Amino acid sequence: MANKLKIIPLGGLDEIGKNITVFEYGKDIIVVDAGMGFPDEDMYGIDVVIPNISYLVQNKKRIRAIVLTHGHEDHIGALPYILREINVPIYATRLTAGLVELKLAEHRLLDKTKIVTLEAGESFHAGCFEVEFIRVNHSIPDAVALAITTPIGKVIHTGDFKIDVTPIHGEMTDLARLGELGKEGVLCMLCDSTNVERPGYSDSERKVGARFDELFKGCDKRIIVTTFASNVHRLQQIINAAYKYKRKVGITGRSMENVMRVAQDLGYIKVPDGVIVDMNKINGLPKNKVAIITTGSQGEAMSALYRMAFSGHRQIEITEGDRVIISASAIPGNERTITKVIDELFSKGAEVIYERMSQLHVSGHACQEELKLIHALVKPKFFVPVHGEHRHLCKHAALAQMMGTDPANIVLGENGRIIEVTPRKIKLGGAVTAGKVFVDGMGVGDVGSVVLRDRQLLAQDGMIVVVMTLSAEDNSLISGPDIISRGFVYVKESESLMDEMRRVTLESLESCHAQKISDWATIKSRVKTNLSGYLYKTTKRSPMIIPVITEV
Amino acid sequence: MANKLKIIPLGGLDEIGKNITVFEYGKDIIVVDAGMGFPDEDMYGIDVVIPNISYLVQNKKRIRAIVLTHGHEDHIGALPYILREINVPIYATRLTAGLVELKLAEHRLLDKTKIVTLEAGESFHAGCFEVEFIRVNHSIPDAVALAITTPIGKVIHTGDFKIDVTPIHGEMTDLARLGELGKEGVLCMLCDSTNVERPGYSDSERKVGARFDELFKGCDKRIIVTTFASNVHRLQQIINAAYKYKRKVGITGRSMENVMRVAQDLGYIKVPDGVIVDMNKINGLPKNKVAIITTGSQGEAMSALYRMAFSGHRQIEITEGDRVIISASAIPGNERTITKVIDELFSKGAEVIYERMSQLHVSGHACQEELKLIHALVKPKFFVPVHGEHRHLCKHAALAQMMGTDPANIVLGENGRIIEVTPRKIKLGGAVTAGKVFVDGMGVGDVGSVVLRDRQLLAQDGMIVVVMTLSAEDNSLISGPDIISRGFVYVKESESLMDEMRRVTLESLESCHAQKISDWATIKSRVKTNLSGYLYKTTKRSPMIIPVITEV
């Protein structure tokens, strides 16, 4: 009896980010992508969110490869955390490998990691799997889809993709190969659902180049362009425009500098000699002979553009002599941070060009008609929508059904839920450990739901610590109660409230004493209950109340 | 020598919300609008933001009237806080007055407040000012622009407006009257900048009605529609569609019920008899004979739609038998909360119709061509863009200049900055007290920047309280150090870290003792410095550290 192919997403479903999918057959496992996610706004103090990889650690002896579809953080960002726990070879295209090496070097994991680079069109074996890289267009070069041959049939994983008929570098998504595989017969497809809500087609990257040309031509100001650091083709077009209109280019912002270096070293970006100039020399040039490419397209607080806007950048001060171009769209959730930066740039007198209408950005993900095209080409027997929030997955399932896939053959997965595939059937099976792990500073996973919930409570109404020193002999009050509050009220103007809190605390202690209650847990509990009741009644606020008893 | 007219925005510039503008001439003051704002995401625990009204309180004897342009919260929400401090008559249209009465009744201010209602076309005197109400279209009925006649000339304040050529109720914006005033000569115009980034015209409200008709026609599911509670015309269209397709209507959500009641009582919404049904009876009807209108179009956590989605609503449980229509756009900042609710509705199996493309919402604010039309009609000598963030004000100033207004006659104001107007000149003068005041629970203004900053620090990395009991005689340690932490690490799994913190504290105390340092401020400071240094080095986190000394 044949084994089942198990497809187990550990992240990336019902969320943005953390893309990671396990393919398992018999004794062999391969992992596709290893992405991180960014914290939601209520994940206070959290730097990065990674997938729970317990399942990988438990099965580490069976993992033959980690295969990466492209170099975006939501596909490679969790690698360092994974490679600390398990040592597995990485398979990637050259640019992806270059970005991975940068990341692993920062985490001091480079030496112990084996990285195998392949071009699109090439294949490798990993256990019982054969994996072929298939060229796709995306908002980063060297992105691939995967054709995974398993003992029971072929699985196509599109990775993140679009169809760009006039790409800046290289060729269009390899529709020919996808069509060929479709004709041979594809058992299952996992496909990018990001833009399934959008009708039509995504625009070609080349359109943005045309717009840059318009904005550079005849411009007499200093030009500052921000875009996603990883969008190498966008950087190429900015450099092309700068070169055409005889401007030198400065690059600022760590991630931008890193990506430029890797992309240049590997030949993914062509920069004419002398065009790029050190940022420390930029201010010596006439403003209308300068173009600066900078990080900060999402209004990120530490980015170079943010620092320029808020007068914190070492070399660049924004003035009316600047034309700032925001060549990006807002990742959902970032709309306010971006407009704050734009407002600040306006108030410094800059001309800011940022409207959605102005063709300054095109999406890297396939829209509805492109998705239909892929479904029509690949004609998979089974379909699993991936890379989207829940509504995207639902809509993509509906699109697949409209394209002719039997609804019984469409599975809406969940992170951690095993999708069992046989030649005849696809269904949801049991679950493995999965979920989010929070990274805060150097700690991985030590900030969990309890700590987060405490931070949320503290953020909401602050805290009050009540310190009472009791006698060891008879629990009588020796010193205190001292009330320390932060984030609740402005203490210097709330003396009477502080006095009242002391009074309520004393009354609670006296009532415990009168009832001969001597165990600290009960005493603290009573103080807390009475204080929080009093405070809610008078202020309608609920600070965290922490009674502390010390004994002498 | 003539007085200057002083126009003093106390809110609403460079921000969304808190619209309030003072007009002052000689001994007389009138106040246009009294709005609140919603907290930004980093204003933890804050319920509502209101303008600092010190200037009004200082000058209360000179305030003749508060004039309201329309009933949105960002124009009336601060009224209760203002009326607690000063007693001034309110002038408003009937629907606006109805909504104000509701609000003041909640705050127990209704009895002491005089409210005068006027229709569009009517005028009143307040000190040396004459104020005329001019009908405009907006996303709430009974919105007006103001023509304020001052001793030195007429000022037009557009309020919030659009031009709806086919309004649901009443007539189009009174372009005739605005044009008449333009011909007579308008000294200064203050105009709504909200949609100045958008080219073209806003769509007519009637288009949404057409879309509702399509969505109701032949639908076999229960229909649930969410929209802004104050959009009475939208509610009318939903009720019209329900009636046409023989559905009963249930209303759920407190603000929606309130607005419906006021609008019905005052005749702004016409509901055929028997169409509206009590929510407790809704479940007794066949699903395809029911339409529910609900709060929650912004994904607000306590709204009825949110509770429905997350299984917390008393009467309504979402199933596949539901078609949920989101007839609203996302107010900037709310995008993620809305998509979270949509995702949850999808996971409950509902059909959710929400796309921007689907003509389910039109804006209530004039877009570029409408703004140009108003400028061309009114032809003011001086221009002050209002009701927008900084980039909106800048772009509106550019639009005015393009329309022929002399740039010297265009002023970009700031909250608190006096705009001085004479027949010949407009310029920025000095400043008055202005700014944001935070309302948290029952406290108004007691949560200021210190408390907020503390909440932000607590949210980021939590807190550690170090309690040390020292001897009164020689400052030797009698008890402790006890370490209490919240929001920092999960204490039960961090025993060794807690031990290390005790060690660092003890060493700090010992070093103070050895140096004969006995003042508590220095002892606490040393403990804090050493602990935070140690913690940052080991965890890369910076919890708030609060050393507490008690003495026995």
Side-chain angles (χ1 to χ4, degrees):
Chain A
M1 183 156 132
N3 272 325
K4 292 177 189 158
L5 169 67
K6 293 182 189 166
I7 302 175
I8 319 173
L10 296 179
L13 298 195
D14 296 341
E15 63 185 344
I16 295 173
K18 288 170 54 244
N19 297 289
I20 175 168
T21 314
V22 164
F23 288 81
E24 183 175 326
Y25 187 93
K27 290 197 176 65
D28 299 314
I29 289 176
I30 61 173
V31 180
V32 172
D33 286 332
M36 57 160 267
F38 284 104
D40 283 344
E41 43 172 78
D42 61 354
M43 296 175 185
Y44 298 135
I46 301 302
D47 303 322
V48 147
V49 182
I50 56 175
N52 182 323
I53 53 159
S54 306
Y55 188 72
L56 300 186
V57 175
Q58 286 157 19
N59 292 283
K60 60 183 176 183
K61 295 194 171 143
R62 298 200 284 144
I63 303 179
R64 311 295 168 216
I66 296 175
V67 191
L68 304 173
T69 58
H70 63 286
H72 277 150
E73 285 292 341
D74 61 326
H75 292 255
I76 67 169
L79 262 181
Y81 305 96
I82 294 175
L83 293 172
R84 280 190 211 174
E85 310 282 332
I86 67 179
N87 199 345
V88 176
I90 315 287
Y91 293 79
T93 56
R94 284 187 310 119
L95 180 65
T96 311
L99 296 170
V100 164
E101 282 170 3
L102 214 67
K103 183 179 280 301
L104 295 185
E106 274 178 26
H107 283 79
R108 300 209 189 94
L109 288 159
L110 195 48
D111 292 343
K112 57 170 259 191
T113 309
K114 174 181 174 193
I115 303 178
V116 179
T117 58
L118 288 93
E119 305 289 317
E122 294 181 336
S123 308
F124 67 95
H125 284 90
C128 63
F129 298 103
E130 183 183 350
V131 181
E132 176 188 343
F133 279 14
I134 299 173
R135 181 186 66 245
V136 296
N137 308 124
H138 188 40
S139 43
I140 189 172
D142 241 5
V144 289
L146 309 174
I148 305 170
T149 306
T150 78
I152 60 164
K154 285 184 163 52
V155 178
I156 293 201
H157 189 312
T158 64
D160 290 7
F161 82 101
K162 65 182 284 181
I163 300 171
D164 191 335
V165 295
T166 51
I168 296 308
H169 183 256
E171 294 186 60
M172 184 179 70
T173 293
D174 196 347
L175 300 177
R177 181 59 185 143
L178 289 168
E180 194 179 353
L181 288 161
K183 285 182 185 173
E184 291 169 13
V186 170
L187 182 65
C188 182
M189 178 167 76
L190 280 66
C191 183
D192 176 7
S193 310
T194 310
N195 269 355
V196 70
E197 288 169 321
R198 297 199 204 174
Y201 292 83
S202 65
D203 278 320
S204 171
E205 180 63 37
R206 217 168 264 277
K207 283 203 169 180
V208 186
R211 187 78 176 103
F212 285 146
D213 198 276
E214 286 171 17
L215 289 170
F216 274 65
K217 182 175 182 172
C219 174
D220 209 43
K221 302 182 177 186
R222 179 169 64 181
I223 293 180
I224 298 172
V225 190
T226 181
T227 187
F228 295 101
S230 53
N231 197 334
V232 174
H233 293 154
R234 189 74 49 84
L235 303 182
Q236 180 74 71
Q237 297 196 95
I238 298 167
I239 287 167
N240 294 348
Y243 179 64
K244 179 173 175 183
Y245 294 101
K246 305 194 179 353
R247 292 179 183 248
K248 299 293 188 192
V249 175
I251 314 275
T252 180
R254 201 177 67 95
S255 52
M256 192 73 81
E257 295 162 39
N258 285 342
V259 168
M260 276 296 301
R261 194 171 59 247
V262 172
Q264 268 191 285
D265 289 349
L266 296 175
Y268 284 90
I269 196 168
K270 304 262 183 295
V271 186
D273 284 338
V275 167
I276 294 188
V277 160
D278 190 280
M279 279 301 293
N280 288 314
K281 301 207 167 82
I282 273 286
N283 287 330
L285 297 165
K287 286 198 163 183
N288 58 1
K289 298 288 177 216
V290 159
I292 295 165
I293 312 182
T294 174
T295 52
S297 70
Q298 300 295 303
E300 310 98 296
M302 286 302 104
S303 65
L305 183 66
Y306 183 98
R307 284 180 278 125
M308 285 180 214
F310 288 93
S311 304
H313 192 278
R314 201 178 299 164
Q315 292 106 353
I316 306 296
E317 205 183 311
I318 300 285
T319 68
E320 291 114 21
D322 285 317
R323 168 176 280 184
V324 183
I325 302 172
I326 316 269
S327 177
S329 61
I331 290 170
N334 291 346
E335 296 82 0
R336 301 286 298 145
T337 51
I338 294 169
T339 55
K340 277 188 173 137
V341 170
I342 292 174
D343 282 337
E344 197 62 26
L345 292 167
F346 264 97
S347 73
K348 298 270 190 305
E351 176 195 8
V352 190
I353 305 181
Y354 62 94
E355 294 90 320
R356 184 198 301 267
M357 311 291 155
S358 53
Q359 285 216 300
L360 284 168
H361 180 69
V362 297
S363 176
H365 297 274
C367 298
Q368 281 168 15
E369 299 309 307
E370 290 157 276
L371 292 172
K372 290 178 192 172
L373 194 152
I374 293 298
H375 280 263
L377 210 55
V378 173
K379 299 185 294 280
K381 178 169 180 152
F382 302 132
F383 176 59
V384 180
V386 295
H387 204 280
E389 292 187 306
H390 194 71
R391 64 194 181 286
H392 301 125
L393 306 186
C394 291
K395 282 184 172 290
H396 203 172
L399 183 148
Q401 186 172 342
M402 191 272 294
M403 292 299 294
T405 309
D406 188 333
N409 292 344
I410 301 172
V411 163
L412 281 168
E414 294 163 28
N415 297 331
R417 202 77 190 276
I418 301 172
I419 300 168
E420 298 176 348
V421 186
T422 67
R424 291 196 207 303
K425 205 168 157 189
I426 184 169
K427 72 180 185 67
L428 281 170
V432 307
T433 311
K436 300 180 193 334
V437 169
F438 300 128
V439 177
D440 182 356
M442 284 168 53
V444 179
D446 64 307
V447 174
S449 54
V450 172
V451 176
L452 253 198
R453 188 209 63 209
D454 278 351
R455 287 181 186 174
Q456 288 160 1
L457 290 171
L458 290 167
Q460 190 65 24
D461 280 326
M463 51 144 248
I464 294 167
V465 176
V466 185
V467 183
M468 302 159 281
T469 310
L470 306 182
S471 152
E473 290 176 16
D474 62 357
N475 267 345
S476 59
L477 185 68
I478 294 194
S479 177
D482 295 314
I483 313 267
I484 297 100
S485 111
R486 292 285 189 283
F488 171 51
V489 291
Y490 189 45
V491 173
K492 291 183 188 163
E493 289 173 3
S494 308
E495 270 312 321
S496 58
L497 185 62
M498 302 298 274
D499 288 340
E500 283 300 294
M501 288 198 268
R502 269 182 281 268
R503 176 188 63 73
V504 170
T505 307
L506 281 167
E507 284 170 8
S508 309
L509 288 171
E510 279 162 17
S511 82
C512 285
H513 203 72
Q515 293 165 353
K516 298 195 184 331
I517 293 166
S518 62
D519 75 289
W520 287 7
T522 309
I523 296 176
K524 288 188 200 179
S525 173
R526 184 167 299 188
V527 168
K528 185 170 173 175
T529 303
N530 290 349
L531 254 185
S532 67
Y534 170 77
L535 288 173
Y536 190 75
K537 189 159 148 252
T538 36
T539 69
K540 290 283 182 286
R541 291 184 210 166
S542 305
M544 184 186 286
I545 296 173
I546 305 166
V548 177
I549 294 176
T550 65
E551 186 178 61
V552 290
Chain B
M1 182 158 135
N3 273 326
K4 292 178 187 155
L5 169 67
K6 294 181 188 167
I7 303 175
I8 318 174
L10 297 179
L13 299 193
D14 295 342
E15 62 186 344
I16 295 173
K18 288 172 51 242
N19 296 290
I20 175 169
T21 312
V22 164
F23 289 81
E24 183 176 327
Y25 189 92
K27 292 195 173 67
D28 299 315
I29 289 176
I30 61 173
V31 181
V32 173
D33 287 333
M36 57 159 270
F38 284 105
D40 284 345
E41 42 173 78
D42 60 354
M43 296 175 185
Y44 297 136
I46 300 304
D47 302 323
V48 147
V49 182
I50 58 176
N52 182 322
I53 54 160
S54 305
Y55 190 73
L56 300 185
V57 175
Q58 286 158 19
N59 292 283
K60 61 183 174 183
K61 296 195 172 137
R62 299 200 281 143
I63 303 178
R64 311 293 169 219
I66 297 176
V67 192
L68 303 173
T69 57
H70 63 285
H72 277 151
E73 284 293 339
D74 61 327
H75 292 255
I76 69 170
L79 263 181
Y81 305 97
I82 293 174
L83 293 172
R84 282 190 210 173
E85 310 283 332
I86 68 180
N87 200 345
V88 175
I90 314 287
Y91 292 80
T93 55
R94 285 189 307 119
L95 181 65
T96 309
L99 295 170
V100 164
E101 283 171 3
L102 216 64
K103 184 179 279 301
L104 296 185
E106 272 178 28
H107 283 80
R108 299 209 189 95
L109 288 161
L110 195 48
D111 291 344
K112 58 171 259 191
T113 308
K114 176 180 173 193
I115 302 178
V116 180
T117 57
L118 289 92
E119 304 288 318
E122 294 181 336
S123 307
F124 68 93
H125 284 89
C128 63
F129 299 102
E130 183 183 351
V131 181
E132 176 189 344
F133 279 15
I134 300 173
R135 180 186 68 242
V136 298
N137 308 123
H138 188 39
S139 42
I140 188 171
D142 241 7
V144 289
L146 308 174
I148 304 171
T149 306
T150 80
I152 62 164
K154 285 185 162 51
V155 180
I156 293 201
H157 188 314
T158 64
D160 291 6
F161 83 102
K162 66 181 284 179
I163 300 171
D164 191 333
V165 296
T166 51
I168 294 309
H169 183 254
E171 293 185 59
M172 184 178 70
T173 292
D174 195 347
L175 300 178
R177 182 60 184 142
L178 289 168
E180 193 179 354
L181 288 160
K183 286 183 184 172
E184 291 168 14
V186 170
L187 182 65
C188 183
M189 177 168 76
L190 280 65
C191 182
D192 176 5
S193 311
T194 311
N195 268 356
V196 71
E197 288 169 321
R198 296 202 204 172
Y201 291 85
S202 64
D203 277 318
S204 171
E205 181 61 37
R206 217 169 265 277
K207 284 204 168 179
V208 185
R211 188 78 176 103
F212 285 147
D213 197 277
E214 288 172 15
L215 290 170
F216 274 64
K217 182 175 181 174
C219 173
D220 208 44
K221 301 181 178 185
R222 180 170 64 180
I223 293 180
I224 299 171
V225 189
T226 181
T227 187
F228 296 101
S230 54
N231 197 335
V232 173
H233 294 153
R234 189 73 50 84
L235 303 182
Q236 180 74 70
Q237 298 196 95
I238 299 167
I239 288 169
N240 294 348
Y243 180 64
K244 179 172 175 185
Y245 294 101
K246 302 189 180 1
R247 291 180 183 251
K248 299 292 186 191
V249 174
I251 314 276
T252 179
R254 200 177 67 93
S255 51
M256 192 73 80
E257 295 161 39
N258 284 342
V259 168
M260 276 296 303
R261 195 172 57 250
V262 173
Q264 269 190 285
D265 288 351
L266 296 175
Y268 286 91
I269 196 168
K270 304 260 183 293
V271 185
D273 285 335
V275 166
I276 294 188
V277 161
D278 191 280
M279 279 300 293
N280 290 315
K281 300 204 168 83
I282 274 284
N283 288 330
L285 297 166
K287 287 200 162 183
N288 59 1
K289 299 285 175 220
V290 159
I292 294 164
I293 311 182
T294 173
T295 54
S297 69
Q298 300 294 302
E300 310 98 295
M302 285 303 103
S303 65
L305 183 66
Y306 183 98
R307 285 180 276 123
M308 283 180 215
F310 287 93
S311 303
H313 192 277
R314 203 178 298 162
Q315 293 105 354
I316 306 295
E317 206 185 309
I318 300 285
T319 67
E320 290 113 20
D322 285 317
R323 166 176 279 184
V324 183
I325 302 173
I326 316 269
S327 177
S329 61
I331 290 169
N334 291 347
E335 296 83 358
R336 300 287 297 144
T337 50
I338 295 169
T339 55
K340 275 186 173 137
V341 171
I342 292 173
D343 281 337
E344 197 61 25
L345 292 167
F346 264 98
S347 72
K348 298 268 192 299
E351 177 195 6
V352 189
I353 306 183
Y354 62 94
E355 294 89 321
R356 182 198 301 265
M357 310 291 154
S358 51
Q359 284 216 302
L360 284 167
H361 179 70
V362 297
S363 176
H365 297 275
C367 298
Q368 282 169 15
E369 299 309 306
E370 291 155 277
L371 292 173
K372 292 179 190 171
L373 194 152
I374 293 298
H375 281 262
L377 211 54
V378 173
K379 300 187 290 282
K381 178 168 179 149
F382 303 131
F383 175 59
V384 179
V386 295
H387 203 283
E389 293 188 306
H390 194 73
R391 64 194 181 285
H392 300 126
L393 307 185
C394 292
K395 282 184 172 290
H396 203 172
L399 182 147
Q401 187 173 340
M402 190 271 294
M403 290 300 293
T405 308
D406 188 332
N409 292 343
I410 301 172
V411 163
L412 280 169
E414 294 162 31
N415 296 332
R417 203 74 193 276
I418 301 172
I419 299 168
E420 296 175 351
V421 186
T422 68
R424 293 198 206 298
K425 201 164 157 187
I426 184 169
K427 71 179 185 73
L428 282 170
V432 306
T433 311
K436 299 180 196 328
V437 169
F438 299 129
V439 177
D440 181 359
M442 282 172 51
V444 179
D446 65 307
V447 174
S449 53
V450 172
V451 176
L452 253 198
R453 188 207 64 207
D454 278 350
R455 288 181 186 176
Q456 288 160 1
L457 290 171
L458 290 167
Q460 189 65 25
D461 281 326
M463 53 143 245
I464 293 168
V465 176
V466 185
V467 184
M468 304 158 279
T469 310
L470 305 184
S471 151
E473 287 176 19
D474 62 356
N475 266 347
S476 59
L477 186 68
I478 293 193
S479 178
D482 294 315
I483 312 264
I484 296 102
S485 112
R486 291 286 189 281
F488 172 52
V489 291
Y490 190 44
V491 173
K492 290 181 188 164
E493 290 174 1
S494 309
E495 271 309 321
S496 59
L497 186 62
M498 303 297 275
D499 288 339
E500 283 301 291
M501 287 197 267
R502 270 182 280 267
R503 178 187 62 73
V504 170
T505 308
L506 280 167
E507 284 171 9
S508 309
L509 289 171
E510 278 160 26
S511 84
C512 287
H513 202 72
Q515 292 166 356
K516 300 199 187 322
I517 293 166
S518 62
D519 75 290
W520 287 5
T522 311
I523 296 176
K524 288 188 200 180
S525 173
R526 184 167 298 188
V527 168
K528 185 171 170 173
T529 304
N530 290 349
L531 253 186
S532 67
Y534 170 77
L535 287 173
Y536 189 74
K537 188 159 149 251
T538 34
T539 67
K540 291 282 183 286
R541 288 183 211 168
S542 305
M544 183 186 286
I545 296 174
I546 304 165
V548 177
I549 294 176
T550 65
E551 187 178 61
V552 291

